[in-house]
Amino acid sequence: MGREMAGGQKQPSSATSYTVEQLVAVNPYNPDILPDLENYVNEQVSSQTYNLDANLCLLRFYQFEPERMSTQIVARILVKALMAMPAPDFSLCLFLIPERVQMEEQFKTLIVLSHYLETARFRQFWDEAAKSRHIVEVVPGFEQAIQAYAIHVLSLTYQKVPRPVLAEAINLEGLSLDKFLEHQVANNGWKLEKSSSRGQLVILPQNEFNHPKLKKTTAEIVPLEHVTRIFPILG
Amino acid sequence: MATSYEYEEGHQHSSAPDSVGYDPNFVPDSVKSFVVHLYRHIREKNVYEIHQMYETSFQTLSERMFKDVPWPSVDAVAPYVDNDHVFCLLYREMWFRHLYARLSPTLKQRIDSWDNYCSLFQVVLHGVVNMQLPNQWLWDMVDEFVYQFQSFCQFRAKMKNKTEQEIATLKQYDQAWNVYGVLNFLQALMEKSMITQILEQEKEGLEQFTATDGYDYNGGSNVLKVLGYFSMIGLLRVHCLLGDYHTGLKCLQPIDISQQGVYTIVIGSHITTIYHYGFANLMLRRYVDAIREFNKILLYIYKTKQYHQKSPQYEQILKKNEQMYALLAICLSLCPQTKLVDETVLSQMREKYGEKMLRMQRYDDEAIALYDELFSYACPKFITPSAPSFEEPLVNYNQEAYRLQLKLFLYEVKQQQLLAGVRTFLKVYSTISLGKLAAYMEVDESTLRTILMTYKHKTHTVDSEGKVISNAELDFYIDDDMIHVIESKPVKLYGDYFLRQIVKLEGVMTDIDRIKLE
């Protein structure tokens, strides 16, 4: 259950983006790369990739030189950060954005959306997101990323989840939900079960968080470096 | 907004320097002798003597003769040290440090001090320094550099009471204490010193750094290497001051804080490292990492603080100690993991914050006010790094950065406020139905589901490698509409303990072997 499942955002791999990563590594405090980083945000949006370090670096430059800030770029970074849930990236970005900027309408909306996700209120989240299509829909893959986060939280919590609870969390119902479930059953080890009381139950794959027995008995691992300390004695 | 948040501005004496009778060009005999000897010891690379003079003589002289006046000017002492360029830069660095600690620096002095750091670091970066300086001194340089940067940002942000003269000076010297300049110096020291590679190679046994406490016993200089090493901690601190916790922790990564290292040799560096590491993890919601390290260092301070009573850093040690107890209290209130904390530390913390922590568990405004109070008392002195706009009406913006971090932190606390209630109920059941728990908590079932999922989300963090890690002492899972509670039993880890005892035993046996019976 690594970060890659959170939204299915890949790390960029094309040759050009590799250059930007290098730029950030070599010039983390050189504002000359600001335009490159802005282009890179747009590239992340269009190619459905994600690079937190580069985006934080850009927000840092905005923090140092507020007059160069583009709120449109900031909004895109924040949407991408929402898509990286459950990682705390959205807060990491907010820590760097001055309060008066956060007062702008589009940022207030994004903060509300983040609040709903942080408190697992998916119904409210999807309602609010529907009202704010102009902000989130410019970023491809948004819905899928949030669904992936919802499934992540559900899998931490449930062994068996009632179908309506799942439906609400991922904002799918009827036929599209059937199709989605079919896909999960075929590919990701989900199972369906008839519950006596209220219709269908979805059995989520077991993991160490929803299934205590799978919790790794923290077998004691002693790193080699620690053992090397006694090598001279053993010799 | 809490009022306990004070700035360190003029943190010792705010009174104007007592200039009556102070002649910057007069060099008393004791100062003559001090610089002559210090200069000689530096040339002879006698680290032990340098350290003595730096730690003891400098403090004693300051206390006796320069309690509320600056030391003699560098020009006045230069003739006694062959006008040595590097020595004069070092002397001036100490001169400013003393001034900042005991008097309040003027704007011009702040700018001069910046220039002195630029010259000093440039000399070091160009590799023309061949001396060995004590770790304590090198740490103090980096520490003071960051402190003066922070102090400058706070000073500049108080625009309301600036004179026209000061504003003109600020405009004229806009590069002084510029945030890019500060970060680039630290970064350059780190890179030029190759410290990251040195630490990597040391792991493979190809290089010695930690083993020699950073000193060079082959005739080389330790200055660039150790400054580079401490710069990583400097970068962590600057990034925390800016609210960039992720980047801060990244800068610290080359140092393995699970082990002793050069950073633990100097108490100030040890505390600064762990304080900022812990704080950054608290803000990243990695409470367990923060708790673990706070616990270790608080125990260490508890056991060793009597040895530092005479140190000039003693007051700072005590202050950071208190602040870290407050941060630990916050962490444990949000993420009860008392099993991770040593008995001694726990009882100290309960003595200080026990009653407040009980109230922080509640779901009301008073609880929030207490989180506010503890956070404001214990957080770093956040800064706004950008220069003011001189055109607009001049306003103070020195609290802006702090207010933002506080607001976002309290936002997080509010999102977690219902979790303490859930925890209390889950503690007493091994299984309970959703309906029953919802009734106890006086919420409907679907709200309860969101609360339980919030509990899961907030107690599971993503670590620096992207792996999901549980921070929950008390966990559960839901099967349809039945909650099953899992209490985790901590596993005692013996490996490290035995390794340490083996090394200790070997030491004791070597000592015994040395004893010759008559």
Side-chain angles (χ1 to χ4, degrees), chain B residues 125 135 185-203 207-215 221-235 250-256 261-263:
Chain B
L125 285 168
N135 288 323
F185 264 127
L186 295 172
Q187 176 81 6
L189 287 168
M190 194 195 102
E191 278 173 5
K192 203 81 197 265
S193 66
M194 309 279 286
I195 188 65
T196 323
Q197 293 85 334
I198 291 175
L199 291 173
E200 271 308 312
Q201 295 202 322
E202 188 176 46
K203 276 188 203 153
E207 185 101 36
Q208 284 202 322
F209 181 75
T210 314
T212 61
D213 291 353
Y215 293 111
S221 164
N222 69 334
V223 173
L224 178 58
K225 258 194 293 185
V226 177
L227 279 180
Y229 180 88
F230 286 138
S231 290
M232 296 190 278
I233 302 167
L235 282 169
K250 244 187 126 176
C251 293
L252 189 68
Q253 245 167 23
I255 301 180
D256 178 4
V262 172
Y263 78 100

CSV table of all heavy atoms in Angstrom, one decimal, chain B residues 125 135 185-203 207-215 221-235 250-256 261-263:
chain,number,residue,atom,x,y,z
B,125,LEU,N,35.1,28.7,2.0
B,125,LEU,CA,34.7,28.0,0.8
B,125,LEU,C,35.8,27.9,-0.3
B,125,LEU,O,35.9,27.0,-1.1
B,125,LEU,CB,33.4,28.7,0.1
B,125,LEU,CG,32.1,28.4,0.9
B,125,LEU,CD1,31.0,29.4,0.4
B,125,LEU,CD2,31.7,27.0,0.7
B,135,ASN,N,34.7,22.0,17.6
B,135,ASN,CA,33.4,21.8,17.1
B,135,ASN,C,32.4,22.8,17.7
B,135,ASN,O,31.5,23.3,17.0
B,135,ASN,CB,32.9,20.4,17.5
B,135,ASN,CG,33.6,19.3,16.6
B,135,ASN,OD1,33.8,19.6,15.4
B,135,ASN,ND2,33.9,18.2,17.2
B,185,PHE,N,24.5,30.1,1.1
B,185,PHE,CA,25.8,29.9,1.9
B,185,PHE,C,25.8,28.5,2.6
B,185,PHE,O,26.7,27.8,2.5
B,185,PHE,CB,26.0,31.0,2.9
B,185,PHE,CG,26.8,32.1,2.4
B,185,PHE,CD1,26.4,33.4,2.5
B,185,PHE,CD2,28.1,31.8,1.9
B,185,PHE,CE1,27.2,34.5,2.0
B,185,PHE,CE2,28.9,32.9,1.5
B,185,PHE,CZ,28.5,34.2,1.5
B,186,LEU,N,24.6,28.2,3.2
B,186,LEU,CA,24.6,27.0,3.9
B,186,LEU,C,24.7,25.8,2.9
B,186,LEU,O,25.4,24.8,3.2
B,186,LEU,CB,23.2,26.9,4.7
B,186,LEU,CG,23.1,27.9,5.8
B,186,LEU,CD1,21.7,27.8,6.4
B,186,LEU,CD2,24.1,27.6,7.0
B,187,GLN,N,24.0,25.9,1.8
B,187,GLN,CA,24.0,24.9,0.8
B,187,GLN,C,25.5,24.8,0.2
B,187,GLN,O,26.0,23.6,0.1
B,187,GLN,CB,23.1,25.3,-0.3
B,187,GLN,CG,23.1,24.4,-1.5
B,187,GLN,CD,22.2,23.1,-1.3
B,187,GLN,OE1,21.6,23.0,-0.3
B,187,GLN,NE2,22.3,22.2,-2.2
B,188,ALA,N,26.1,25.9,0.0
B,188,ALA,CA,27.5,25.9,-0.6
B,188,ALA,C,28.5,25.2,0.4
B,188,ALA,O,29.3,24.4,0.0
B,188,ALA,CB,28.0,27.3,-0.9
B,189,LEU,N,28.3,25.5,1.7
B,189,LEU,CA,29.2,24.9,2.7
B,189,LEU,C,29.0,23.4,2.7
B,189,LEU,O,29.9,22.6,2.8
B,189,LEU,CB,28.9,25.5,4.1
B,189,LEU,CG,29.4,26.9,4.3
B,189,LEU,CD1,28.8,27.5,5.6
B,189,LEU,CD2,30.9,26.9,4.4
B,190,MET,N,27.7,23.0,2.6
B,190,MET,CA,27.4,21.6,2.6
B,190,MET,C,28.0,20.9,1.4
B,190,MET,O,28.6,19.8,1.5
B,190,MET,CB,25.9,21.4,2.7
B,190,MET,CG,25.4,20.1,3.0
B,190,MET,SD,23.7,20.0,2.6
B,190,MET,CE,23.8,19.0,1.1
B,191,GLU,N,27.8,21.5,0.2
B,191,GLU,CA,28.3,20.8,-1.0
B,191,GLU,C,29.8,20.8,-1.1
B,191,GLU,O,30.4,19.8,-1.4
B,191,GLU,CB,27.6,21.5,-2.2
B,191,GLU,CG,26.3,21.0,-2.5
B,191,GLU,CD,25.5,21.8,-3.6
B,191,GLU,OE1,26.2,22.7,-4.2
B,191,GLU,OE2,24.3,21.5,-3.8
B,192,LYS,N,30.4,22.0,-0.9
B,192,LYS,CA,31.8,22.1,-1.0
B,192,LYS,C,32.6,21.2,-0.1
B,192,LYS,O,33.6,20.7,-0.4
B,192,LYS,CB,32.2,23.6,-0.8
B,192,LYS,CG,33.5,24.0,-1.4
B,192,LYS,CD,33.3,24.4,-2.9
B,192,LYS,CE,34.7,24.4,-3.6
B,192,LYS,NZ,35.3,25.7,-3.7
B,193,SER,N,32.0,21.0,1.1
B,193,SER,CA,32.6,20.2,2.1
B,193,SER,C,32.6,18.7,1.7
B,193,SER,O,33.2,17.9,2.3
B,193,SER,CB,32.0,20.4,3.5
B,193,SER,OG,30.7,19.9,3.4
B,194,MET,N,31.7,18.3,0.8
B,194,MET,CA,31.5,16.9,0.4
B,194,MET,C,31.0,16.1,1.5
B,194,MET,O,31.2,14.9,1.6
B,194,MET,CB,32.8,16.3,-0.2
B,194,MET,CG,33.5,17.1,-1.3
B,194,MET,SD,32.7,16.8,-2.9
B,194,MET,CE,33.3,15.2,-3.2
B,195,ILE,N,30.4,16.7,2.5
B,195,ILE,CA,30.0,16.0,3.7
B,195,ILE,C,29.1,14.8,3.5
B,195,ILE,O,29.2,13.8,4.1
B,195,ILE,CB,29.5,17.0,4.8
B,195,ILE,CG1,29.3,16.3,6.1
B,195,ILE,CG2,28.1,17.6,4.4
B,195,ILE,CD1,30.6,15.9,6.8
B,196,THR,N,28.2,15.0,2.6
B,196,THR,CA,27.2,13.9,2.3
B,196,THR,C,28.0,12.7,1.8
B,196,THR,O,27.8,11.5,2.3
B,196,THR,CB,26.2,14.3,1.2
B,196,THR,OG1,25.9,15.7,1.4
B,196,THR,CG2,25.0,13.5,1.3
B,197,GLN,N,29.0,12.9,0.9
B,197,GLN,CA,29.8,11.8,0.4
B,197,GLN,C,30.7,11.2,1.5
B,197,GLN,O,30.8,10.0,1.6
B,197,GLN,CB,30.6,12.2,-0.8
B,197,GLN,CG,29.9,12.6,-2.0
B,197,GLN,CD,29.4,14.1,-2.0
B,197,GLN,OE1,29.2,14.7,-1.0
B,197,GLN,NE2,29.2,14.6,-3.2
B,198,ILE,N,31.2,12.1,2.3
B,198,ILE,CA,32.1,11.6,3.4
B,198,ILE,C,31.3,10.7,4.4
B,198,ILE,O,31.7,9.6,4.7
B,198,ILE,CB,32.6,12.8,4.2
B,198,ILE,CG1,33.6,13.6,3.4
B,198,ILE,CG2,33.3,12.3,5.5
B,198,ILE,CD1,34.2,14.9,4.0
B,199,LEU,N,30.0,11.1,4.7
B,199,LEU,CA,29.2,10.3,5.6
B,199,LEU,C,28.9,9.0,4.9
B,199,LEU,O,28.8,7.9,5.6
B,199,LEU,CB,28.0,11.0,6.0
B,199,LEU,CG,28.2,12.2,6.9
B,199,LEU,CD1,26.9,13.0,7.2
B,199,LEU,CD2,28.8,11.8,8.3
B,200,GLU,N,28.6,9.0,3.6
B,200,GLU,CA,28.3,7.8,2.9
B,200,GLU,C,29.5,6.8,2.9
B,200,GLU,O,29.4,5.6,3.2
B,200,GLU,CB,28.0,8.1,1.4
B,200,GLU,CG,26.5,8.3,1.1
B,200,GLU,CD,25.6,7.3,1.7
B,200,GLU,OE1,25.9,6.1,1.4
B,200,GLU,OE2,24.6,7.6,2.4
B,201,GLN,N,30.7,7.4,2.6
B,201,GLN,CA,31.9,6.6,2.6
B,201,GLN,C,32.3,6.0,4.0
B,201,GLN,O,32.8,5.0,4.1
B,201,GLN,CB,33.1,7.4,2.0
B,201,GLN,CG,32.8,7.8,0.6
B,201,GLN,CD,34.2,8.2,-0.1
B,201,GLN,OE1,35.0,8.8,0.5
B,201,GLN,NE2,34.3,7.8,-1.4
B,202,GLU,N,31.9,6.8,5.0
B,202,GLU,CA,32.2,6.3,6.3
B,202,GLU,C,31.5,5.1,6.6
B,202,GLU,O,32.0,4.1,7.3
B,202,GLU,CB,31.9,7.4,7.4
B,202,GLU,CG,32.4,7.0,8.7
B,202,GLU,CD,32.2,8.1,9.8
B,202,GLU,OE1,31.0,8.6,9.8
B,202,GLU,OE2,33.1,8.4,10.5
B,203,LYS,N,30.3,5.0,6.1
B,203,LYS,CA,29.5,3.8,6.3
B,203,LYS,C,30.2,2.5,5.7
B,203,LYS,O,30.0,1.4,6.2
B,203,LYS,CB,28.1,3.9,5.6
B,203,LYS,CG,27.1,4.7,6.5
B,203,LYS,CD,25.7,4.6,5.9
B,203,LYS,CE,24.9,5.8,6.4
B,203,LYS,NZ,23.8,6.1,5.4
B,207,GLU,N,36.3,6.1,5.1
B,207,GLU,CA,36.6,7.4,5.5
B,207,GLU,C,36.3,7.5,7.0
B,207,GLU,O,35.4,6.8,7.5
B,207,GLU,CB,35.7,8.4,4.7
B,207,GLU,CG,35.9,9.8,5.0
B,207,GLU,CD,36.7,10.5,3.8
B,207,GLU,OE1,36.5,10.1,2.7
B,207,GLU,OE2,37.5,11.3,4.1
B,208,GLN,N,37.0,8.4,7.7
B,208,GLN,CA,36.7,8.6,9.1
B,208,GLN,C,36.2,10.0,9.3
B,208,GLN,O,36.8,11.0,8.9
B,208,GLN,CB,37.9,8.4,9.9
B,208,GLN,CG,38.2,6.9,10.1
B,208,GLN,CD,39.1,6.7,11.3
B,208,GLN,OE1,40.0,7.4,11.6
B,208,GLN,NE2,38.8,5.6,12.0
B,209,PHE,N,35.1,10.2,9.9
B,209,PHE,CA,34.6,11.5,10.3
B,209,PHE,C,34.0,11.5,11.7
B,209,PHE,O,34.5,12.1,12.6
B,209,PHE,CB,33.5,12.0,9.3
B,209,PHE,CG,33.0,13.3,9.6
B,209,PHE,CD1,33.7,14.5,9.3
B,209,PHE,CD2,31.7,13.5,10.1
B,209,PHE,CE1,33.3,15.7,9.6
B,209,PHE,CE2,31.2,14.8,10.4
B,209,PHE,CZ,32.0,15.9,10.1
B,210,THR,N,32.9,10.7,11.9
B,210,THR,CA,32.3,10.5,13.2
B,210,THR,C,33.3,10.0,14.2
B,210,THR,O,33.4,10.4,15.3
B,210,THR,CB,31.1,9.6,13.1
B,210,THR,OG1,30.3,10.0,12.0
B,210,THR,CG2,30.3,9.7,14.3
B,211,ALA,N,34.1,9.0,13.7
B,211,ALA,CA,35.1,8.3,14.6
B,211,ALA,C,36.1,9.3,15.2
B,211,ALA,O,36.6,9.1,16.3
B,211,ALA,CB,35.8,7.2,13.9
B,212,THR,N,36.4,10.4,14.4
B,212,THR,CA,37.4,11.3,14.9
B,212,THR,C,36.7,12.6,15.4
B,212,THR,O,37.4,13.7,15.5
B,212,THR,CB,38.4,11.7,13.8
B,212,THR,OG1,37.7,12.3,12.7
B,212,THR,CG2,39.2,10.5,13.3
B,213,ASP,N,35.4,12.5,15.6
B,213,ASP,CA,34.6,13.7,16.0
B,213,ASP,C,34.8,14.8,15.0
B,213,ASP,O,34.7,16.0,15.4
B,213,ASP,CB,35.1,14.2,17.4
B,213,ASP,CG,34.7,13.3,18.5
B,213,ASP,OD1,34.0,12.3,18.2
B,213,ASP,OD2,35.1,13.5,19.7
B,214,GLY,N,35.0,14.5,13.8
B,214,GLY,CA,35.1,15.5,12.8
B,214,GLY,C,36.5,16.2,12.6
B,214,GLY,O,36.7,16.9,11.7
B,215,TYR,N,37.4,15.9,13.5
B,215,TYR,CA,38.7,16.5,13.4
B,215,TYR,C,39.6,15.8,12.4
B,215,TYR,O,39.3,14.6,12.0
B,215,TYR,CB,39.4,16.5,14.8
B,215,TYR,CG,38.8,17.4,15.8
B,215,TYR,CD1,38.1,16.8,16.9
B,215,TYR,CD2,38.8,18.7,15.6
B,215,TYR,CE1,37.4,17.7,17.8
B,215,TYR,CE2,38.1,19.6,16.5
B,215,TYR,CZ,37.5,19.0,17.6
B,215,TYR,OH,36.8,19.8,18.5
B,221,SER,N,42.6,20.5,7.7
B,221,SER,CA,41.7,21.4,8.4
B,221,SER,C,40.3,20.7,8.6
B,221,SER,O,39.8,20.0,7.7
B,221,SER,CB,41.5,22.7,7.7
B,221,SER,OG,40.4,23.4,8.2
B,222,ASN,N,39.7,21.0,9.7
B,222,ASN,CA,38.3,20.4,9.9
B,222,ASN,C,37.3,21.5,9.6
B,222,ASN,O,36.1,21.2,9.7
B,222,ASN,CB,38.2,19.9,11.4
B,222,ASN,CG,38.2,21.1,12.4
B,222,ASN,OD1,38.8,22.1,12.1
B,222,ASN,ND2,37.5,20.9,13.5
B,223,VAL,N,37.7,22.7,9.3
B,223,VAL,CA,36.7,23.8,9.3
B,223,VAL,C,35.6,23.6,8.3
B,223,VAL,O,34.4,23.7,8.6
B,223,VAL,CB,37.5,25.2,9.2
B,223,VAL,CG1,36.5,26.3,9.0
B,223,VAL,CG2,38.4,25.4,10.4
B,224,LEU,N,36.0,23.5,7.0
B,224,LEU,CA,35.0,23.3,6.0
B,224,LEU,C,34.1,22.1,6.2
B,224,LEU,O,32.9,22.2,6.1
B,224,LEU,CB,35.7,23.3,4.6
B,224,LEU,CG,34.7,23.1,3.4
B,224,LEU,CD1,33.7,24.2,3.4
B,224,LEU,CD2,35.5,23.0,2.1
B,225,LYS,N,34.7,21.0,6.5
B,225,LYS,CA,34.0,19.7,6.7
B,225,LYS,C,32.9,19.9,7.8
B,225,LYS,O,31.8,19.5,7.6
B,225,LYS,CB,35.0,18.6,7.1
B,225,LYS,CG,35.3,17.7,6.0
B,225,LYS,CD,36.0,16.4,6.5
B,225,LYS,CE,37.4,16.7,7.1
B,225,LYS,NZ,38.1,15.5,7.5
B,226,VAL,N,33.4,20.4,8.9
B,226,VAL,CA,32.4,20.5,10.1
B,226,VAL,C,31.4,21.6,9.9
B,226,VAL,O,30.2,21.4,10.2
B,226,VAL,CB,33.2,20.6,11.4
B,226,VAL,CG1,32.2,20.8,12.5
B,226,VAL,CG2,34.1,19.4,11.6
B,227,LEU,N,31.8,22.7,9.2
B,227,LEU,CA,30.8,23.7,8.9
B,227,LEU,C,29.8,23.2,8.0
B,227,LEU,O,28.6,23.4,8.1
B,227,LEU,CB,31.5,25.0,8.3
B,227,LEU,CG,32.1,25.9,9.3
B,227,LEU,CD1,32.8,27.1,8.5
B,227,LEU,CD2,31.2,26.5,10.3
B,228,GLY,N,30.3,22.4,7.0
B,228,GLY,CA,29.3,21.8,6.0
B,228,GLY,C,28.4,20.8,6.8
B,228,GLY,O,27.2,20.8,6.5
B,229,TYR,N,28.9,20.1,7.7
B,229,TYR,CA,28.1,19.2,8.5
B,229,TYR,C,27.0,19.9,9.3
B,229,TYR,O,25.8,19.6,9.2
B,229,TYR,CB,29.0,18.4,9.4
B,229,TYR,CG,28.3,17.4,10.3
B,229,TYR,CD1,28.1,16.1,9.9
B,229,TYR,CD2,27.8,17.7,11.6
B,229,TYR,CE1,27.5,15.1,10.7
B,229,TYR,CE2,27.2,16.8,12.4
B,229,TYR,CZ,27.0,15.5,11.9
B,229,TYR,OH,26.4,14.6,12.7
B,230,PHE,N,27.4,20.9,10.0
B,230,PHE,CA,26.5,21.7,10.8
B,230,PHE,C,25.5,22.5,9.9
B,230,PHE,O,24.4,22.8,10.3
B,230,PHE,CB,27.2,22.6,11.8
B,230,PHE,CG,27.8,21.9,12.9
B,230,PHE,CD1,29.1,22.3,13.4
B,230,PHE,CD2,27.1,20.9,13.6
B,230,PHE,CE1,29.6,21.6,14.5
B,230,PHE,CE2,27.7,20.2,14.7
B,230,PHE,CZ,29.0,20.6,15.1
B,231,SER,N,25.9,22.8,8.7
B,231,SER,CA,25.0,23.5,7.8
B,231,SER,C,23.8,22.7,7.5
B,231,SER,O,22.7,23.3,7.2
B,231,SER,CB,25.7,23.9,6.5
B,231,SER,OG,26.7,24.9,6.7
B,232,MET,N,23.9,21.4,7.5
B,232,MET,CA,22.7,20.6,7.2
B,232,MET,C,21.7,20.9,8.3
B,232,MET,O,20.5,21.0,8.1
B,232,MET,CB,23.0,19.1,7.2
B,232,MET,CG,24.0,18.8,6.0
B,232,MET,SD,24.2,17.0,5.8
B,232,MET,CE,25.4,16.6,7.0
B,233,ILE,N,22.2,21.0,9.6
B,233,ILE,CA,21.2,21.3,10.7
B,233,ILE,C,20.7,22.7,10.6
B,233,ILE,O,19.6,23.0,10.8
B,233,ILE,CB,22.0,21.1,12.0
B,233,ILE,CG1,22.5,19.6,12.1
B,233,ILE,CG2,21.0,21.4,13.2
B,233,ILE,CD1,23.5,19.4,13.2
B,234,GLY,N,21.6,23.6,10.1
B,234,GLY,CA,21.2,25.0,9.9
B,234,GLY,C,20.1,25.1,8.8
B,234,GLY,O,19.1,25.8,9.0
B,235,LEU,N,20.2,24.3,7.8
B,235,LEU,CA,19.2,24.3,6.7
B,235,LEU,C,17.9,23.7,7.3
B,235,LEU,O,16.8,24.2,7.0
B,235,LEU,CB,19.7,23.4,5.6
B,235,LEU,CG,20.7,24.1,4.6
B,235,LEU,CD1,21.3,23.1,3.6
B,235,LEU,CD2,20.0,25.2,3.8
B,250,LYS,N,14.4,16.8,4.7
B,250,LYS,CA,15.3,16.2,3.6
B,250,LYS,C,16.7,16.7,3.8
B,250,LYS,O,17.6,15.9,3.5
B,250,LYS,CB,14.7,16.7,2.3
B,250,LYS,CG,14.2,15.6,1.4
B,250,LYS,CD,13.8,16.1,0.1
B,250,LYS,CE,14.5,15.3,-1.0
B,250,LYS,NZ,14.1,15.7,-2.3
B,251,CYS,N,16.9,17.9,4.2
B,251,CYS,CA,18.3,18.4,4.4
B,251,CYS,C,19.0,17.7,5.5
B,251,CYS,O,20.2,17.5,5.4
B,251,CYS,CB,18.2,19.9,4.8
B,251,CYS,SG,17.6,21.0,3.4
B,252,LEU,N,18.3,17.2,6.4
B,252,LEU,CA,18.9,16.5,7.6
B,252,LEU,C,19.2,15.0,7.2
B,252,LEU,O,20.0,14.4,7.9
B,252,LEU,CB,18.0,16.5,8.8
B,252,LEU,CG,18.6,16.1,10.1
B,252,LEU,CD1,19.7,17.0,10.6
B,252,LEU,CD2,17.5,15.9,11.2
B,253,GLN,N,18.6,14.5,6.2
B,253,GLN,CA,18.7,13.1,5.9
B,253,GLN,C,20.1,12.4,5.9
B,253,GLN,O,20.2,11.3,6.4
B,253,GLN,CB,18.0,12.8,4.5
B,253,GLN,CG,16.8,11.9,4.7
B,253,GLN,CD,16.0,11.9,3.4
B,253,GLN,OE1,16.5,12.1,2.3
B,253,GLN,NE2,14.7,11.6,3.6
B,254,PRO,N,21.1,13.1,5.5
B,254,PRO,CA,22.5,12.5,5.5
B,254,PRO,C,22.9,12.1,6.9
B,254,PRO,O,23.8,11.3,7.1
B,254,PRO,CB,23.4,13.5,4.9
B,254,PRO,CG,22.5,14.3,4.0
B,254,PRO,CD,21.2,14.4,4.7
B,255,ILE,N,22.3,12.8,7.9
B,255,ILE,CA,22.7,12.5,9.3
B,255,ILE,C,21.7,11.4,9.9
B,255,ILE,O,20.5,11.6,9.8
B,255,ILE,CB,22.6,13.8,10.2
B,255,ILE,CG1,23.6,14.8,9.6
B,255,ILE,CG2,23.0,13.4,11.6
B,255,ILE,CD1,23.6,16.1,10.4
B,256,ASP,N,22.3,10.3,10.4
B,256,ASP,CA,21.5,9.3,10.9
B,256,ASP,C,21.2,9.6,12.4
B,256,ASP,O,22.1,9.4,13.2
B,256,ASP,CB,22.2,7.9,10.8
B,256,ASP,CG,21.4,6.8,11.4
B,256,ASP,OD1,20.3,7.0,11.9
B,256,ASP,OD2,21.9,5.7,11.4
B,261,GLY,N,26.5,10.9,16.7
B,261,GLY,CA,27.3,11.5,15.6
B,261,GLY,C,27.9,12.8,16.1
B,261,GLY,O,27.9,13.1,17.2
B,262,VAL,N,28.5,13.5,15.1
B,262,VAL,CA,29.2,14.7,15.5
B,262,VAL,C,28.1,15.7,16.1
B,262,VAL,O,28.4,16.5,16.9
B,262,VAL,CB,29.9,15.3,14.3
B,262,VAL,CG1,30.4,16.7,14.5
B,262,VAL,CG2,31.1,14.4,13.9
B,263,TYR,N,26.9,15.6,15.6
B,263,TYR,CA,25.9,16.5,16.1
B,263,TYR,C,25.6,16.3,17.5
B,263,TYR,O,25.1,17.2,18.2
B,263,TYR,CB,24.6,16.3,15.2
B,263,TYR,CG,23.7,15.1,15.6
B,263,TYR,CD1,22.6,15.2,16.4
B,263,TYR,CD2,24.1,13.9,15.1
B,263,TYR,CE1,21.8,14.1,16.7
B,263,TYR,CE2,23.3,12.8,15.4
B,263,TYR,CZ,22.2,12.9,16.2
B,263,TYR,OH,21.5,11.8,16.6
